[in-house]
Amino acid sequence: DTEVTQTPKHLVMGMTNKKSLKCEQHMGHRAMYWYKQKAKKPPELMFVYSYEKLSINESVPSRFSPECPNSSLLNLHLHALQPEDSALYLCASSQLDRGIGTDYGYTFGSGTRLTVV
Amino acid sequence: KNEVEQSPQNLTAQEGEFITINCSYSVGISALHWLQQHPGGGIVSLFMLSSGKKKHGRLIATINIQEKHSSLHITASHPRDSAVYICAVKGTSQFYFGTGTSLTVIP
């Protein structure tokens, strides 16, 4: 399995709803990432998990809450979002090599298209 | 100034044409990626380069580490190649993305 699987593919939610995005990989990658991408813009990094621990939080508002329950799963919990949070949310994973201090095998998921109404 | 600059931003080509997309970067990198994104879709990694040249089918990617420059070439372009092509470089702690090149190949 060489894929990063994201569910759902599309999500419409109200500003008072609570929802979760899910990301799964079975490549043994130990780094997982959440990105946000607005139309015609490059992806923006939100969170990085390394060995199931949050290693980077790019000053993301607390209405986005990441969770890494195990090495294969990454969730993004959403609560009280704003319409401007509507975007494509991309998950990615990579293998970490502590020996040479780098990562490789970067793989993106197909994304969740989120619309906040 | 962005850490990664791509050119051109938009490109329209006739089917069969040879296409080149350029990427220049200003940070030290461990690897450079060429990514493809279809409208509304996820991102597919085409190449990861740290030196030299790679070829996959009609796609060729080259990198010159000294000049901090990479090119993506598409030979015999086809309408299904229409997509956004993104150059991304891996620095010491994060990825830096270019703004992408939107390619349209006309039959």
Side-chain angles (χ1 to χ4, degrees):
Chain A
D1 188 350
T2 58
E3 289 186 349
V4 172
T5 303
Q6 286 189 246
T7 55
K9 292 195 183 308
H10 300 274
L11 178 63
V12 179
M13 62 184 288
M15 289 189 283
T16 58
N17 290 161
K18 284 186 181 181
K19 296 286 185 184
S20 296
L21 309 185
K22 182 179 171 183
C23 173
E24 194 166 2
Q25 56 86 16
H26 297 285
M27 295 177 282
H29 287 179
R30 303 309 298 273
M32 296 186 76
Y33 312 78
W34 280 116
Y35 287 89
K36 174 183 176 180
Q37 187 179 26
K38 301 286 273 187
K40 299 188 187 300
K41 298 286 187 184
E44 298 174 10
L45 182 65
M46 300 175 72
F47 302 105
V48 181
Y49 272 83
S50 300
Y51 295 95
E52 296 90 71
K53 291 193 187 324
L54 183 65
S55 60
I56 294 178
N57 177 342
E58 291 287 348
S59 303
V60 179
S62 60
R63 57 186 184 267
F64 295 92
S65 175
E67 178 197 20
C68 190
N70 60 58
S71 60
S72 299
L73 276 176
L74 184 66
N75 298 319
L76 186 63
H77 302 298
L78 314 172
H79 174 54
L81 294 194
Q82 304 296 312
E84 59 264 29
D85 296 321
S86 299
L88 179 68
Y89 288 83
L90 292 159
C91 175
S93 70
S94 67
Q95 187 56 285
L96 293 172
D97 188 326
R98 281 175 162 162
I100 56 176
T102 187
D103 57 351
Y104 55 95
Y106 220 89
T107 306
F108 283 88
S110 56
T112 293
R113 176 74 58 190
L114 174 68
T115 304
V116 182
V117 297
Chain B
K1 185 182 184 300
N2 293 334
E3 290 84 0
V4 181
E5 299 279 355
Q6 273 185 249
S7 63
Q9 284 192 327
N10 297 284
L11 181 56
T12 300
Q14 289 292 132
E15 184 174 356
E17 283 186 11
F18 180 84
I19 288 163
T20 296
I21 300 171
N22 293 301
C23 174
S24 296
Y25 54 92
S26 58
V27 294
I29 69 168
S30 57
L32 180 144
H33 295 247
W34 280 104
L35 310 170
Q36 181 194 55
Q37 187 171 35
H38 286 278
I43 291 176
V44 174
S45 179
L46 299 174
F47 294 103
M48 185 182 76
L49 294 162
S50 54
S51 64
K53 176 179 173 178
K54 286 190 176 180
K55 184 175 188 291
H56 181 68
R58 296 180 293 105
L59 301 177
I60 302 166
T62 63
I63 188 168
N64 184 318
I65 298 293
Q66 287 73 30
E67 294 184 5
K68 295 190 173 182
H69 180 270
S70 176
S71 294
L72 176 68
H73 306 286
I74 305 176
T75 61
S77 59
H78 190 276
R80 65 175 174 267
D81 297 326
S82 298
V84 175
Y85 293 84
I86 303 171
C87 173
V89 299
K90 179 69 169 60
T92 52
S93 61
Q94 66 173 305
F95 259 96
Y96 299 92
F97 290 88
T99 52
T101 294
S102 180
L103 171 65
T104 303
V105 181
I106 300 170

Short mmCIF file of all heavy atoms in Angstrom, two decimals, chain A residues 18-21 34 62-68 75-79 81:
data_model
loop_
_atom_site.label_atom_id
_atom_site.label_comp_id
_atom_site.label_asym_id
_atom_site.label_seq_id
_atom_site.Cartn_x
_atom_site.Cartn_y
_atom_site.Cartn_z
N LYS A 18 -19.48 20.16 14.85
CA LYS A 18 -18.19 19.52 15.14
C LYS A 18 -18.03 18.37 14.16
O LYS A 18 -18.91 17.51 14.07
CB LYS A 18 -18.16 18.95 16.55
CG LYS A 18 -17.97 19.95 17.65
CD LYS A 18 -17.82 19.21 18.99
CE LYS A 18 -17.66 20.18 20.14
NZ LYS A 18 -17.49 19.48 21.42
N LYS A 19 -16.92 18.35 13.45
CA LYS A 19 -16.64 17.28 12.51
C LYS A 19 -15.17 16.91 12.60
O LYS A 19 -14.37 17.65 13.19
CB LYS A 19 -16.95 17.73 11.07
CG LYS A 19 -18.41 18.06 10.81
CD LYS A 19 -19.25 16.80 10.71
CE LYS A 19 -20.69 17.15 10.34
NZ LYS A 19 -21.55 15.94 10.34
N SER A 20 -14.81 15.79 11.97
CA SER A 20 -13.42 15.36 11.95
C SER A 20 -13.02 14.92 10.56
O SER A 20 -13.81 14.30 9.84
CB SER A 20 -13.20 14.20 12.93
OG SER A 20 -13.44 14.61 14.25
N LEU A 21 -11.78 15.25 10.19
CA LEU A 21 -11.16 14.74 8.97
C LEU A 21 -10.21 13.61 9.38
O LEU A 21 -9.54 13.70 10.40
CB LEU A 21 -10.39 15.83 8.25
CG LEU A 21 -11.11 17.15 7.99
CD1 LEU A 21 -10.22 18.07 7.15
CD2 LEU A 21 -12.44 16.93 7.32
N TRP A 34 -0.59 17.95 8.18
CA TRP A 34 -1.82 18.57 7.67
C TRP A 34 -1.46 19.87 6.98
O TRP A 34 -0.72 20.70 7.53
CB TRP A 34 -2.81 18.88 8.79
CG TRP A 34 -3.62 17.71 9.26
CD1 TRP A 34 -3.61 17.14 10.49
CD2 TRP A 34 -4.61 16.99 8.52
NE1 TRP A 34 -4.50 16.10 10.56
CE2 TRP A 34 -5.14 15.98 9.35
CE3 TRP A 34 -5.12 17.08 7.20
CZ2 TRP A 34 -6.12 15.09 8.94
CZ3 TRP A 34 -6.09 16.18 6.79
CH2 TRP A 34 -6.59 15.21 7.66
N SER A 62 -7.25 27.50 17.49
CA SER A 62 -7.62 26.33 18.30
C SER A 62 -8.89 25.65 17.82
O SER A 62 -9.21 24.55 18.30
CB SER A 62 -7.78 26.74 19.76
OG SER A 62 -8.80 27.73 19.86
N ARG A 63 -9.62 26.26 16.90
CA ARG A 63 -10.80 25.58 16.35
C ARG A 63 -10.39 24.38 15.48
O ARG A 63 -11.22 23.58 15.09
CB ARG A 63 -11.67 26.55 15.57
CG ARG A 63 -10.99 27.27 14.43
CD ARG A 63 -11.94 28.33 13.83
NE ARG A 63 -11.40 28.99 12.67
CZ ARG A 63 -10.72 30.12 12.72
NH1 ARG A 63 -10.48 30.70 13.88
NH2 ARG A 63 -10.26 30.68 11.61
N PHE A 64 -9.09 24.28 15.16
CA PHE A 64 -8.54 23.10 14.50
C PHE A 64 -7.72 22.34 15.55
O PHE A 64 -6.77 22.89 16.12
CB PHE A 64 -7.60 23.50 13.35
CG PHE A 64 -8.28 24.19 12.22
CD1 PHE A 64 -8.36 25.59 12.20
CD2 PHE A 64 -8.84 23.48 11.18
CE1 PHE A 64 -8.99 26.24 11.16
CE2 PHE A 64 -9.47 24.13 10.13
CZ PHE A 64 -9.55 25.51 10.12
N SER A 65 -8.06 21.08 15.76
CA SER A 65 -7.39 20.30 16.79
C SER A 65 -6.90 18.98 16.18
O SER A 65 -7.70 18.12 15.84
CB SER A 65 -8.35 20.02 17.94
OG SER A 65 -7.76 19.17 18.89
N PRO A 66 -5.57 18.81 16.04
CA PRO A 66 -5.07 17.57 15.45
C PRO A 66 -4.95 16.48 16.51
O PRO A 66 -4.86 16.74 17.71
CB PRO A 66 -3.69 17.97 14.95
CG PRO A 66 -3.24 19.01 15.93
CD PRO A 66 -4.48 19.75 16.36
N GLU A 67 -4.96 15.25 16.00
CA GLU A 67 -4.80 14.09 16.89
C GLU A 67 -4.12 12.98 16.12
O GLU A 67 -4.47 12.74 14.95
CB GLU A 67 -6.17 13.61 17.39
CG GLU A 67 -6.10 12.38 18.29
CD GLU A 67 -7.45 11.69 18.42
OE1 GLU A 67 -8.32 11.89 17.56
OE2 GLU A 67 -7.60 10.90 19.37
N CYS A 68 -3.16 12.32 16.73
CA CYS A 68 -2.48 11.20 16.09
C CYS A 68 -2.60 9.99 17.01
O CYS A 68 -1.72 9.75 17.86
CB CYS A 68 -1.02 11.55 15.83
SG CYS A 68 -0.15 10.36 14.79
N ASN A 75 -5.90 12.54 12.61
CA ASN A 75 -7.21 13.18 12.54
C ASN A 75 -7.07 14.69 12.67
O ASN A 75 -6.10 15.20 13.25
CB ASN A 75 -8.10 12.67 13.68
CG ASN A 75 -8.36 11.17 13.60
OD1 ASN A 75 -8.58 10.63 12.53
ND2 ASN A 75 -8.31 10.50 14.74
N LEU A 76 -8.04 15.39 12.13
CA LEU A 76 -8.13 16.84 12.34
C LEU A 76 -9.55 17.13 12.78
O LEU A 76 -10.50 16.96 12.01
CB LEU A 76 -7.78 17.60 11.07
CG LEU A 76 -7.71 19.12 11.20
CD1 LEU A 76 -6.59 19.52 12.17
CD2 LEU A 76 -7.48 19.78 9.84
N HIS A 77 -9.70 17.51 14.05
CA HIS A 77 -11.02 17.78 14.62
C HIS A 77 -11.35 19.26 14.39
O HIS A 77 -10.51 20.14 14.63
CB HIS A 77 -11.04 17.44 16.11
CG HIS A 77 -10.69 16.01 16.38
ND1 HIS A 77 -11.44 14.94 15.91
CD2 HIS A 77 -9.65 15.46 17.08
CE1 HIS A 77 -10.88 13.81 16.30
NE2 HIS A 77 -9.80 14.09 17.00
N LEU A 78 -12.57 19.49 13.94
CA LEU A 78 -13.01 20.83 13.56
C LEU A 78 -14.18 21.26 14.43
O LEU A 78 -15.13 20.49 14.61
CB LEU A 78 -13.44 20.82 12.09
CG LEU A 78 -12.51 20.11 11.10
CD1 LEU A 78 -13.19 20.03 9.72
CD2 LEU A 78 -11.19 20.82 11.02
N HIS A 79 -14.12 22.48 14.94
CA HIS A 79 -15.21 22.96 15.78
C HIS A 79 -15.31 24.47 15.65
O HIS A 79 -14.31 25.18 15.75
CB HIS A 79 -14.94 22.57 17.24
CG HIS A 79 -15.94 23.16 18.19
ND1 HIS A 79 -17.31 23.00 18.04
CD2 HIS A 79 -15.79 23.91 19.31
CE1 HIS A 79 -17.93 23.62 19.02
NE2 HIS A 79 -17.04 24.18 19.80
N LEU A 81 -15.99 26.44 13.11
CA LEU A 81 -15.22 27.01 12.00
C LEU A 81 -15.92 28.22 11.41
O LEU A 81 -17.12 28.44 11.62
CB LEU A 81 -14.99 25.96 10.91
CG LEU A 81 -14.12 24.76 11.29
CD1 LEU A 81 -13.72 24.00 10.03
CD2 LEU A 81 -12.89 25.17 12.06
#
